[in-house]
Amino acid sequence: MDLHRRPHDGDAAVPLRRHKSPPSSPKASDALPLPLYLTNAVFFTLFFSVAYFLLHRWRDKIRSSTPLHVVTFSELAAILSLIASFIYLLGFFGIDFVQSFISRSSNDAVWEDHINHAVCQQIPVLPPPEPLISSISTEEDEEIVKSVVEGKTPSYSLESRLGDCRRAAAIRREALQRVTGRSLQSLPLEGFDYESILGQCCEMPVGYVQIPVGVAGPLLLDGFEYTVPMATTEGCLVASTNRGCKAIYASGGASSVILKDGMSRAPVVRFSTAKRAAQLKFFLEDPLNFDTLAVVFNRSSRFATLQRIQCTMAGKNLYMRFTCSTGDAMGMNMVSKGVQNVLDFLQNDFPDMDIIGISGNFCSDKKPAAVNWIEGRGKSVVCEAIIKEEVVEKVLKTNVAALVELNVLKNLVGSAVAGALGGYNAHASNIVSAIFIATGQDPAQNVESSHCITMMEAINDGRDLHISVTMPSIEVGTVGGGTQLASQSACLNLLGVKGSSKDSPGSNSRLLATIVAGSVLAGELSLMSAIAAGQLVKSHMKYNRSSKNVCQM
């Protein structure tokens, strides 16, 4: 959207005013004809000279017992000169200090009145704005900024007009500061490749957000070790996952199985009657028609392979859920193009079909839905490990019986009481989100990708713990989207899954899905142990609390 000024409606909002710097304060010597350094020298000399003269005369009077209040003409002139020089020096060195003190007190009073007014009017109180610091260095850029602020140049068109993505971001940022009156000084601008996100990752950039990346591991999974990158601002998360990895490693590692691999898209179409909608449903579900539909669908990409079509009706509306393999890509765009091909093909035999939308939420993307929990979406993974009794006691500081009981009452019964959908776990979304952000996945797909049921069972006569996580809809890719950015690409490279696999297309994305599940397994194991041992609050108070004095900050 364009940057433009919005009018303020009375007391509906606190107006933002651009503060101008006050004119420089007059100096005490501005009214004198002499240069400043000569004026200072004269009054300094006069002050110390008459002070010495008066002290010398008063000493003589004290010695001769002469009253101090009896003064001569020279002493009177000296006293007047002392007072005059003192007033000058006090004015020269004290005006700035006094004026700054008065100005600060005045500003504080104005801000207090602003807060009192906002409280009385029930208006949200915003913090005082930081000073605006311009990053514009040329007159040409200054003119462009003014054009954007005035609405003559659309902000979204800067990249195409200038041909320089970094320059466009700087100009847009400056225009935003001037329109809002709020500083973006603390938002980094330099050090990012804005060319890499043009037209595919982010529009109208004004900077980038820094998120620390920690590593947990090694995670011993299916006989291989992985160091897992996690981007997060939550204390204890990486440390807790790392402890779970340690327990899994000490017990011989974890193993995983991929049950399904297919991305889905479900358009919705409408007919004049339910009978006509049912005819299309029967046509799509007829095995004799599947090969023809697959050929049409697979034209969208050399990696796209249609797997199945599920249909459901709501009156005269038909929802068709297409599922296909997508290679190493997460595959949303790929499956959408294939669906569009099929819809265009079906329009020939069903000209009365009204296409309402390419997505009818039967997919279901970025929303908790039972269809993903039951049918799966993306990669469906099961990961398991057997944790030895001595590891549970020494590394996790608890016991097998306590873990099993807690898992039943918390993850299973507690989630059922809460009416959870796919949330039969302790904190799977924590690990999923951290890995997604680090490796350039779509963070919004954490919603369905975090569907997980954690199971724990005592085995070997109750000595050891069998733990597993079942995650039916992990939606990841190693090509496309944010995976190509430098930082995210480095994290994928750390895991050995960067880019597309030439030998076996899709193997890198499937491996990434198993690593996500293995990391969730480690995170579940560690957090559940901390809760069972009563260490959760203590650890978070130690590692997830800032030691800085916020009042001083």
Side-chain angles (χ1 to χ4, degrees), residues 524-543:
E524 291 288 281
L525 180 62
S526 182
L527 177 59
M528 292 294 288
S529 299
I531 296 175
Q535 299 172 338
L536 180 64
V537 175
K538 181 180 179 181
S539 62
H540 275 75
M541 292 299 293
K542 181 177 180 181
Y543 296 106

Side-chain angles (χ1 to χ4, degrees), residues 337-367:
K337 289 189 292 184
V339 168
Q340 188 63 56
N341 291 341
V342 173
L343 291 176
D344 294 340
F345 173 79
L346 292 175
Q347 200 86 62
N348 297 324
D349 294 330
F350 296 87
D352 54 335
M353 179 179 68
D354 184 12
I355 302 174
I356 303 301
I358 189 69
S359 175
N361 276 7
F362 185 44
C363 313
S364 173
D365 186 43
K366 301 174 184 176
K367 293 166 284 294

